[in-house]
Amino acid sequence: MDTNVVIYVLSDSIGETGEQVARAAASQFNSGKYEIRRFPYITDEEQIVEIFEEAKEEKSIIVFTVVIERLKRFIIMKAKEYEIPAVDLMTPVLDSIQTVVGFQPKRESGLIRRLDEQYFKKVEAVEFAVKYDDGKDTRGIKKADIILVGVSRTSKTPLSMYLAHKHYKVANVPLVPEVPAPDELFEKDTKRVFGLIANPFKLNEIRQERLRSLGLSNNANYASIDRIEQELEYSKQIMERLQCKVIDVSNKAVEETAGIIIDIMKENFGED
């Protein structure tokens, strides 16, 4: 390979894929050196013309990962006009996938980056929910997008995880009469706090089942109606102090409760 060969990488996104492929191909030629010049975020024909004007002065190759049809056609046309070799990395793969799946690609630039960003946002939210589950660390209250409060077995943890998969950072705080609610809770924007309550008899069933699964007697105070009603009364007092939205989860699936919370968050903050 001549020392003056320049590979121009054009992309309507960041161009990482094109550059990696170009480097991988160029590495197969041991003689000489090469230079790669990456031009990301190509959005109009004028940019393309400027690149070809530069490329015509050198021994050059054009490599492009452009999915916007208008720009792709323009690059191919200019490559013929300037007699510069041009390699379209995306079209053969897109055409093959289209043949198999039977419908056309979206042809939107930067989709893989957006998918990656969404994935890592979800992972971060899930890790947050685990770290700040069940009031383990009250510092999470200040950082959370959503705070869930309620007595034991009101679906705080599964709801936290479901909302985390919707990219919300959620901390949940158990309310127990013998344990004062954390001060941080009363400093939080009440529009981000949601109180969960349930029918005491429904909670009684759930708690008895929980005790059985742990091999414990279902006659424990934890599952008694009197104890549950005492806890619910205390939790309602805290929720009233917080002036937060209260949701009865007695007959609601986690998805249904999450949907209510998400709708309220969108209304309050325009968040998705």
Side-chain angles (χ1 to χ4, degrees):
M1 183 180 288
D2 282 349
T3 57
N4 62 345
V5 170
V6 180
I7 303 175
Y8 287 79
V9 177
L10 282 62
S11 177
D12 48 14
S13 184
I14 58 177
E16 283 185 341
T17 301
E19 181 173 347
Q20 289 173 357
V21 172
R23 287 192 186 282
S27 69
Q28 297 297 313
F29 298 84
N30 295 323
S31 59
K33 297 179 180 179
Y34 62 89
E35 179 184 352
I36 292 179
R37 298 178 190 170
R38 193 207 304 184
F39 295 85
Y41 305 114
I42 299 296
T43 57
D44 59 53
E45 289 85 349
E46 186 177 341
Q47 291 172 285
I48 295 169
V49 171
E50 289 176 358
I51 293 166
F52 272 95
E53 282 293 315
E54 178 181 326
K56 75 177 183 180
E57 304 298 329
E58 302 166 296
K59 185 170 287 187
S60 59
I61 301 167
I62 302 290
V63 172
F64 62 98
T65 54
V66 173
V67 296
I68 299 173
E69 190 68 31
R70 169 179 57 84
L71 297 177
K72 184 195 82 170
R73 288 198 300 266
F74 191 78
I75 291 171
I76 293 171
M77 180 184 73
K78 286 297 172 183
K80 292 179 180 177
E81 180 182 327
Y82 283 81
E83 297 184 337
I84 297 174
V87 182
D88 179 358
L89 296 180
M90 294 294 287
T91 295
V93 182
L94 288 173
D95 287 348
S96 296
I97 295 174
Q98 180 178 337
T99 300
V100 173
V101 301
F103 54 87
Q104 295 185 348
K106 295 179 179 179
R107 294 202 174 275
E108 297 177 23
S109 61
L111 282 180
I112 190 169
R113 189 178 72 258
R114 276 179 266 168
L115 289 172
D116 286 345
E117 288 171 356
Q118 292 298 308
Y119 171 76
F120 287 114
K121 189 175 181 181
K122 181 191 294 185
V123 170
E124 184 181 5
V126 169
E127 290 176 346
F128 187 95
V130 171
K131 183 175 182 179
Y132 298 111
D133 180 47
D134 206 31
K136 292 174 185 174
D137 187 344
T138 56
R139 291 176 296 181
I141 293 173
K142 292 183 178 180
K143 305 173 186 177
D145 300 318
I146 295 171
I147 309 294
L148 304 176
V149 298
V151 302
S152 175
R153 316 316 294 176
T154 48
S155 301
K156 295 187 301 299
T157 296
L159 187 54
S160 295
M161 294 305 297
Y162 187 93
L163 289 167
H165 280 81
K166 301 296 182 181
H167 308 151
Y168 289 98
K169 293 181 179 178
V170 184
N172 73 73
V173 179
L175 298 179
V176 184
E178 293 78 13
V179 181
D183 293 336
E184 293 90 342
L185 201 53
F186 300 96
E187 298 167 2
K188 192 73 177 179
D189 181 352
T190 57
K191 291 181 179 179
R192 294 188 178 274
V193 183
F194 295 85
L196 307 179
I197 61 171
N199 181 285
F201 296 100
K202 184 75 171 179
L203 282 177
N204 173 257
E205 293 177 9
I206 296 171
R207 290 189 180 189
Q208 284 188 346
E209 183 59 37
R210 174 61 174 165
L211 289 172
R212 280 194 291 269
S213 71
L214 295 173
L216 302 173
S217 170
N218 58 9
N219 294 320
N221 187 45
Y222 170 75
S224 74
I225 289 291
D226 288 343
R227 172 62 184 183
I228 291 170
E229 288 180 337
Q230 179 190 357
E231 289 183 22
L232 285 171
E233 182 58 33
Y234 171 73
S235 72
K236 289 174 183 177
Q237 291 173 8
I238 296 296
M239 293 171 195
E240 190 173 337
R241 284 179 58 193
L242 290 168
Q243 296 184 321
C244 64
K245 173 68 176 178
V246 178
I247 303 172
D248 188 334
V249 300
S250 302
N251 299 305
K252 289 183 176 65
V254 168
E255 296 85 352
E256 186 179 356
T257 306
I260 293 170
I261 292 172
I262 290 170
D263 286 344
I264 294 171
M265 289 295 291
K266 288 178 180 179
E267 183 179 340
N268 289 342
F269 305 102
E271 298 181 0
D272 291 315

